[in-house]
Amino acid sequence: MSISETAWALFDAHKSGIAPLSRKGGSFVGQLAVDPPSALTASQADWLTKLVDRAGLRSMGGETND
């Protein structure tokens, strides 16, 4: 799953109430959805991993940093 696809999946999880995003988290995910970087910093990758795990998206398809 690409970074952008992961971000959109996180928005879907937020919308359905599975994993609500904070304002800061939503801003971060929005930036990844609209203008994904070619690579994440270590801090960004860690945060994204935490959000993905909280939403239960790991089972949907592997890596978030491709």
Side-chain angles (χ1 to χ4, degrees), residues 33-47:
V34 175
D35 188 19
S38 58
L40 298 173
T41 66
S43 295
Q44 289 172 324
D46 184 50
W47 191 10

Side-chain angles (χ1 to χ4, degrees), residues 23-52:
R23 174 178 253 171
K24 187 175 177 182
S27 178
F28 172 62
V29 171
Q31 184 174 356
L32 295 179
V34 175
D35 188 19
S38 58
L40 298 173
T41 66
S43 295
Q44 289 172 324
D46 184 50
W47 191 10
L48 184 57
T49 298
K50 288 176 185 175
L51 293 172
V52 166

